[in-house]
Structure formats: C-alpha cells, structure tokens
Amino acid sequence: MDFRILAAVLVAAALHAGWNALVRSGADRFLSVVQVAFYAGLASCLLLPLFPLPAPGAWPWLLGSVGLHTGYKYFLSRAYGSGDLGQVYPLARGLAPLLVAGAALLFLHEALGPARLLGILVLAAGVWCMSLRGGRQAARLELETVLFALATSGFIAAYTLTDGLGARLAGSAHGYAVWLFTLDGVGILALSVAVRGRSSLGLLARGWRVGLCGGCASLAAYWLVIWAMTKAPIPLVAAWRETSVLFAAAISVAVLREPLTAWRVAAALLITGGVGLTRLAG
C-alpha cells in the first residue's frame, strides 16, 4: 500500500491530538469544542466554491454524519470535564478501530488479512493500556468519565464508517469534506444553543485565535482521513488514525505536565508495533 496514505493519516493523527489538547486545556471544555467546530465550519465554508458538490447518493450519509459528529463532540466535552487528556483521549479512541473493523467485515465485506487484523488488535491494546494507566492515577478515572468516553467511541466508529462510505459515493473526497465541516459548523451552533442558550454564541469570539487554530487543525486532520478512506480499507485507516494517542501522550507530558510512566512507554511500543504489523502485511 502506498506509504503516502499512511503518512497522511499520521499527520492527521498529530493534528487531531493537537486540537484535543486545546480543548482539554480550556476552562470550559464544551465551549472549547464548540469554538473548534465553529471555526472549522467557517474555514470550510470559504472553500466550498473550490470543490465539486457531492453526488446525490452521498447526501444521506453526509447529513447523517453531521448528527453523529455533533453527538461525538458533546460526549467528548463531557468526558474531558473530569478526566486527564492522557486517560480520556485513548479511552475514547481505543474501542473505535475494533468496532470499525467488525462492522466493515460484517456489513461492508471489507475483510483484512490475518496479519493486519493482528496489527489492529495490538494497536488497540496499546491504546487501551495508555488509558488504563495513562494519567495521574487510574483510581481517579470516574465511572461517569469512562461511560462518556466509551459513548464517544461509539460515535467515532459510526461517523468513520458513514464518512468512509459517503466519501466514496460523493465522487470527490474533497467536496465531501468541505460540505461535512460546513454543515457540522451549523450543527454545533444548534447544539450550543440547545445546551447553553443563545448567550453562548456571543462567547465564540473570545479566544478566537485558539478556536481558529484548533478549527483549522480539526479540518485538515479529518480531511486527510476522509481522503485516505477513499484510497485504503476503512478499518486500516481507522486503526492508523488512533496513533493520535501517541501525540496526545507527548502533548500531555510536555505541555499539560501529566506524568510520563513506564506503562505509557510500553503502551506506545504496542501501538507502534501494531502499525508496523499492518504495514508489513501490506
């Protein structure tokens, strides 16, 4: 498989970890998520004239994905309300590649070879290990945080499959991506009004530089993933994307001052080994 696809997904993973760190470091995690999505939608709106309109068959998937992305952001912000980045982020991401691989096999008949499946399992194991002993103390990870993080995993798997199929039907991964983010910006504004009232919209201008940086990182990250899913098997791209936990761990240690432990190092080696297995098999 073309190494450029893996490289693109790794860049997307780094960008994704970056904007999640911005959200986790904000005083109000929900409004931070809203800011990121709003500015991503604003940036993508400006790009709409540059790319073709998605084909009619892609629109049901596109509209469904907007709802799934909105749910994902809500549950992610709730999980960050009480958990460390180094714990919540991998916990939210760890189950998703397994769910995607299972669904793709059952419903899309997109099977992978034994070595690639083993690579995905090893990678997912590393992600889960990162969450179980990734933050300050495992005992401090509250049940509510775990439930929100696991619900986030379900939304991640659902929108990954939806967008992989939608982008393939759209005729242009780029056209699909800019329309998705534009509509997602509208969806997140509606969610903000529903949860916090109309007064929350006036807060979007506060810290707009951070919101714009996070929004552009979010847009670029998932745009690369959408393109990759039109070029490679969806489960493989979904698994590679979860290497973002390595970047998140580095950010949490270097910037947020969360501890670096031997467990985190071992988990990182598992994740790296999982990616290596998928590459050797391909």
Side-chain angles (χ1 to χ4, degrees):
M1 185 172 295
D2 196 332
F3 179 75
R4 291 177 299 174
I5 299 174
L6 173 58
V9 178
L10 292 179
V11 170
L15 291 169
H16 192 274
W19 79 256
N20 272 258
L22 289 175
V23 169
R24 177 60 183 83
S25 61
D28 187 325
R29 281 64 184 266
F30 177 76
L31 286 178
S32 294
V33 168
V34 171
Q35 269 193 321
V36 167
F38 169 74
Y39 284 105
L42 185 62
S44 63
C45 183
L46 298 176
L47 298 174
L48 288 178
L50 302 179
F51 301 101
L53 195 69
W59 280 93
W61 301 97
L62 184 58
L63 296 175
S65 179
V66 171
L68 292 171
H69 277 273
T70 301
Y72 154 72
K73 293 180 178 70
Y74 173 75
F75 281 98
L76 181 65
S77 67
R78 291 296 303 269
Y80 280 148
S82 58
D84 285 344
L85 174 71
Q87 289 178 317
V88 171
Y89 190 83
L91 189 59
R93 310 300 305 187
L95 186 60
L98 300 180
L99 293 175
V100 171
L105 177 62
L106 291 174
F107 303 111
L108 307 182
H109 307 293
E110 197 165 79
L112 300 174
R116 280 184 170 167
L117 286 175
L118 177 60
I120 291 175
L121 289 173
V122 171
L123 190 154
V127 172
W128 274 79
C129 287
M130 188 78 77
S131 68
L132 292 175
R133 296 285 291 275
R136 292 184 170 89
Q137 295 180 20
R140 293 184 60 192
L141 191 58
E142 299 176 0
L143 177 60
E144 183 182 50
T145 302
V146 172
L147 294 177
F148 279 126
L150 293 180
T152 302
S153 285
F155 278 101
I156 292 169
Y159 77 61
T160 298
L161 290 164
T162 299
D163 291 330
L165 292 171
R168 291 176 179 183
L169 293 170
S172 168
H174 308 306
Y176 184 93
V178 293
W179 273 100
L180 172 63
F181 273 89
T182 298
L183 295 175
D184 183 59
V186 176
I188 201 67
L189 290 180
L191 177 65
S192 183
V193 171
V195 173
R196 296 287 182 86
R198 293 183 181 180
S199 60
S200 64
L201 300 182
L203 300 176
L204 293 176
R206 294 184 182 178
W208 66 269
R209 291 180 180 84
V210 174
L212 182 60
C213 288
C216 289
S218 175
L219 173 60
Y222 200 53
W223 192 332
L224 286 169
V225 169
I226 289 173
W227 170 81
M229 288 192 293
T230 66
K231 304 294 182 182
I234 294 174
L236 202 56
V237 174
W240 287 344
R241 189 187 182 208
E242 304 319 328
T243 57
S244 57
V245 300
L246 296 177
F247 299 102
I251 292 170
S252 67
V253 170
V255 180
L256 303 181
R257 304 303 180 186
E258 295 173 10
L260 176 64
T261 64
W263 191 275
R264 269 184 169 172
V265 174
L269 292 175
L270 277 175
I271 294 168
T272 304
V275 173
L277 280 171
T278 63
R279 280 296 299 162
L280 289 174

